[in-house]
Amino acid sequence: MNKTVNQKAWFLVLPVLILVGFSAVIPLMTVVNYSVQDTFGNNVFFWAGLDWFRDMLESERMWNALGRQLVFSSIILAIEVPLGIFVALNMPKKGFWASFCLVLMSLPLLIPWNVVGTIWQIFGRVDIGLLGYVLAKLGVNYNYTQNVIDAWATVIIMDVWHWTSLVALLAYAGLQSIPDAYYQAAKIDQASRWKVFRFIELPKMAGVLMIAILLRFMDSFMIYTEPFVVTGGGPGNATTFLSIDLVKMALGQFDLGPAAAFSLMYFLVILLISWVFYTVMTNLDKRDGV
Amino acid sequence: MSDATTSAPGAASIPGDVSAAEPRARTRRRFRPNGSMIVMALYLLFLMLPIYWLLNMSLKTNAEILSGFSLWPRNLTLANYEKILTDPSWYMGYVNSIIYVTMNTVISISVALPAAYAFSRYSFMGDKHLFFWLLTNRMAPPAVFALPFFQLYSSVGLFDTHIAVALAHTLFNVPLAVWILEGFMRGVPREIDETAYIDGYSFPKFFVKIFMPLIASGIGVAAFFCFMFSWVELLLSRTLTSVDAKPIAATMTRTVSASGLDWGVLAAAGVLTILPGALVIWFVRNYIAKGFALGRV
């Protein structure tokens, strides 16, 4: 889009700059500050250089949390993306039922995250929850507070329940934008259902899907509340993901230095993914020619 | 154009299927379940079952919950809801949440509107970097910011106030609002701006009188998403409050950790937090994907 060059536009952006600067830059500087200092208490700090970073890079605890985080994010992406596409392909195209499905599918997305945790905490309990009770009746030895596998399964199913609709909604929006002519051409060519998907729907959805995948990756990468409510990071440390570990370190143990170094490295990863996301977005905008 | 050609599994789901062009009378054919309907029914069942279970629990007494297992409440009771709506330590949680969420939405939208306009209409020094920087804040993990926010707001004496939470949530809501609004604004042709200026409108007058009505739906959607994301967030709002501005979400976690869980009340509180989203979702149903994808799609 041919935009006019106008440096005065800065004045329009200024309020955002000040506000977000206040809530992003100052806290981030605090973190940087802590990450290079050590203290003996009493607010006396001294320079520690990059020691905390070295410590964190050598700390098994962080690598374990990162490992768990990556496994978790990969699993939920592997489930949610195909499932979301599949659901989108099966949604009604228009009319009342399309709206009906849209509304019901969006509902889990709008539930406060701790309530999502609460819902599954109750749902999975062997004594009072439907899921736990049915599993127990079927003879499955299911207990998400004791058994590592069960805890993981619960957290993953919860996330699938919570967020698959997001992928589905985005994929659906992508499908809606495909002109009828494409399908008519495919019909004339007698293309199979799979070919229609592979050569028409998938390429047309690619941009939107990329957004969905990145959003899901980012959000799962900083998941905190839901697993915290359900398992509290347990049993042991089995479901302690990066954010849970970080909060434990910073607010629980008040290990400011390591926590700050941890935060910064965490943030760098996020920055990298944001950059990929941004590139995808701008390419998408260009392709649409707006 | 017989139906047989389109009844391959999933084929009926092709948007803009050629068969849609058939005469209207054909669309009122007999009810006949197909693959797509079964898939959707199963998926929606999977989504609704846990929510139904929460609702079910909220309508039982605690004794009934713990004494036996039943698929629906035998003795329907509203006692749990009554408890929440009469006990200040419970209902003030909702009031606090609504106060800071509303403040946050108003702040976010009012600063985001001019900025989104600038991004959609002008190019200026550093615009792309700035836009990207905003995005990184939407993506920033709240866990990284929890401790610094706590110290920042404590040091300026704003700890445990509504405005502290509202300001903290602008961290991700302002970028969200800017991105969504920019997405809507780029759809408005520039000729409208130019015509208005030729007609002698000043910028503020043009913006309020002409431009804002044009993107009214965009503003609504952005407001909805600011509201939602502030409403569902727990980590920051819990860290920044203790008593006076304690959000409902934090009130609920307190109950979870206390001994002798009151499942019925907890479930009722959960149901009440779902309500605001459920009430307005119908109005934004066509924009949900756009909102979640930051105004793109």
Side-chain angles (χ1 to χ4, degrees):
Chain A
M1 184 156 135
N2 51 337
K3 297 176 184 171
T4 352
V5 178
N6 183 352
Q7 303 298 347
K8 282 188 202 136
W10 263 103
F11 288 109
L12 296 173
V13 190
L14 209 56
V16 164
L17 198 64
I18 294 169
L19 192 63
V20 182
F22 176 72
S23 27
V25 178
I26 298 178
L28 214 53
M29 281 348 283
T30 329
V31 176
V32 172
N33 201 13
Y34 281 130
S35 72
V36 292
Q37 298 191 66
D38 200 355
T39 178
F40 290 130
N42 300 330
N43 273 331
V44 185
F45 287 91
F46 58 87
W47 178 254
L50 295 175
D51 284 359
W52 292 128
F53 291 93
R54 205 169 301 130
D55 277 8
M56 287 314 296
L57 283 176
E58 283 163 9
S59 123
E60 211 159 286
R61 176 178 169 180
M62 194 200 78
W63 288 110
N64 286 342
L66 181 66
R68 281 191 291 267
Q69 183 70 68
L70 287 175
V71 172
F72 175 75
S73 293
S74 327
I75 293 179
I76 61 134
L77 277 179
I79 298 176
E80 288 175 12
V81 174
L83 185 63
I85 296 175
F86 182 64
V87 169
L89 287 174
N90 283 299
M91 273 178 75
K93 274 129 354 227
K94 46 181 165 291
F96 170 77
W97 289 107
S99 303
F100 179 80
C101 287
L102 276 178
V103 167
L104 282 192
M105 282 166 61
S106 316
L107 207 52
L109 301 170
L110 307 177
I111 298 178
W113 297 341
N114 71 308
V115 178
V116 172
T118 308
I119 287 176
W120 282 87
Q121 192 191 23
I122 294 178
F123 199 59
R125 279 179 68 99
V126 184
D127 52 347
I128 56 172
L130 186 60
L131 178 69
Y133 185 83
V134 170
L135 283 177
K137 279 281 148 181
L138 291 174
V140 181
N141 190 8
Y142 169 84
N143 185 336
Y144 65 80
T145 55
Q146 304 288 331
N147 187 318
V148 174
I149 307 270
D150 293 350
W152 268 81
T154 311
V155 173
I156 286 170
I157 294 177
M158 174 174 71
D159 202 81
V160 169
W161 177 82
H162 192 182
W163 289 112
T164 302
S165 295
L166 174 66
V167 182
L169 289 174
L170 289 179
Y172 178 70
L175 283 176
Q176 292 284 53
S177 68
I178 303 176
D180 282 358
Y182 284 68
Y183 292 107
Q184 280 154 8
K187 196 146 210 165
I188 292 165
D189 290 348
Q190 299 197 320
S192 66
R193 181 71 191 89
W194 165 252
K195 287 213 163 132
V196 169
F197 175 72
R198 172 67 188 77
F199 294 107
I200 296 179
E201 289 170 339
L202 201 57
K204 280 281 171 186
M205 275 195 291
V208 189
L209 275 182
M210 200 64 203
I211 296 178
I213 292 171
L214 284 166
L215 278 176
R216 275 320 297 137
F217 183 76
M218 301 289 304
D219 287 342
S220 70
F221 207 70
M222 43 200 208
I223 190 166
Y224 171 82
T225 314
E226 302 96 311
F228 182 77
V229 172
V230 174
T231 64
N237 272 331
T239 51
T240 303
F241 301 122
L242 282 177
S243 277
I244 299 182
D245 208 19
L246 180 57
V247 172
K248 236 185 230 171
M249 208 185 281
L251 293 170
Q253 304 160 345
F254 246 70
D255 284 338
L256 298 183
F262 189 163
S263 299
L264 284 181
M265 290 190 274
Y266 195 173
F267 200 73
L268 284 181
V269 177
I270 299 284
L271 212 59
L272 186 73
I273 307 164
S274 296
W275 184 77
V276 176
F277 187 93
Y278 181 77
T279 317
V280 171
M281 290 287 213
T282 39
N283 283 343
L284 206 62
D285 290 346
K286 266 191 218 128
R287 201 187 61 188
D288 293 349
V290 237
Chain B
M1 202 81 38
S2 74
D3 268 10
T5 56
T6 58
S7 62
S13 67
I14 301 173
D17 195 348
V18 185
S19 58
E22 285 170 16
R24 233 147 198 271
R26 287 291 304 273
T27 62
R28 299 194 53 157
R29 58 185 167 225
R30 270 178 304 125
F31 178 79
R32 198 162 43 87
N34 57 27
S36 297
M37 281 160 104
I38 294 167
V39 169
M40 284 317 290
L42 285 176
Y43 182 65
L44 292 179
L45 187 71
F46 167 62
L47 291 186
M48 288 307 120
L49 217 49
I51 298 179
Y52 166 72
W53 201 248
L54 190 74
L55 188 66
N56 178 16
M57 299 287 258
S58 74
L59 296 170
K60 291 176 177 178
T61 60
N62 226 19
E64 193 189 341
I65 292 172
L66 294 172
S67 67
F69 185 86
S70 63
L71 284 175
W72 58 88
R74 296 273 150 75
N75 311 307
L76 204 67
T77 171
L78 289 174
N80 297 320
Y81 290 96
E82 203 180 306
K83 172 149 191 233
I84 289 174
L85 296 175
T86 51
D87 179 355
S89 72
W90 271 108
Y91 70 72
M92 278 317 285
Y94 287 98
V95 175
N96 290 333
S97 288
I98 289 171
I99 292 176
Y100 72 70
V101 165
T102 312
M103 282 162 110
N104 173 273
T105 307
V106 172
I107 297 173
S108 300
I109 297 295
S110 44
V111 300
L113 269 173
Y117 182 79
F119 282 120
S120 75
R121 289 294 190 264
Y122 303 119
S123 74
F124 47 94
M125 205 171 63
D127 54 351
K128 292 198 176 65
H129 300 100
L130 198 60
F131 208 45
F132 171 64
W133 174 68
L134 283 177
L135 178 74
T136 64
N137 287 310
R138 156 64 181 80
M139 303 295 194
V144 169
F145 287 89
L147 177 71
F149 270 156
F150 174 74
Q151 294 183 323
L152 174 66
Y153 289 110
S154 299
S155 67
V156 294
L158 284 176
F159 179 72
D160 203 17
T161 57
H162 299 107
I163 189 74
V165 185
L167 283 177
H169 283 177
T170 57
L171 173 70
F172 47 84
N173 268 352
V174 168
L176 179 81
V178 172
W179 273 71
I180 292 180
L181 287 172
E182 204 267 345
F184 276 91
M185 283 178 185
R186 63 169 59 209
V188 178
R190 300 170 54 88
E191 285 72 25
I192 291 179
D193 308 27
E194 282 148 18
T195 318
Y197 293 138
I198 293 169
D199 287 351
Y201 277 90
S202 66
F203 175 72
K205 203 172 165 200
F206 153 75
F207 199 80
V208 176
K209 283 248 167 96
I210 298 180
F211 198 68
M212 277 173 56
L214 280 175
I215 52 153
S217 58
I219 297 175
V221 172
F224 172 79
F225 276 91
C226 287
F227 189 93
M228 263 353 282
F229 276 105
S230 185
W231 181 257
V232 299
E233 207 280 336
L234 170 72
L235 180 56
L236 290 179
S237 55
R238 194 188 59 185
T239 312
L240 290 176
T241 56
S242 60
V243 184
D244 294 338
K246 197 183 177 82
I248 180 60
T251 315
M252 285 179 65
T253 52
R254 181 202 60 188
T255 322
V256 172
S257 58
S259 59
L261 292 177
D262 198 344
W263 291 109
V265 175
L266 185 67
V271 171
L272 288 177
T273 61
I274 302 177
L275 277 184
L279 285 179
V280 282
I281 190 172
W282 181 261
F283 301 104
V284 293
R285 64 185 183 278
N286 293 325
Y287 298 106
I288 287 167
K290 191 164 185 168
F292 274 107
L294 302 170
R296 299 308 184 271
V297 176

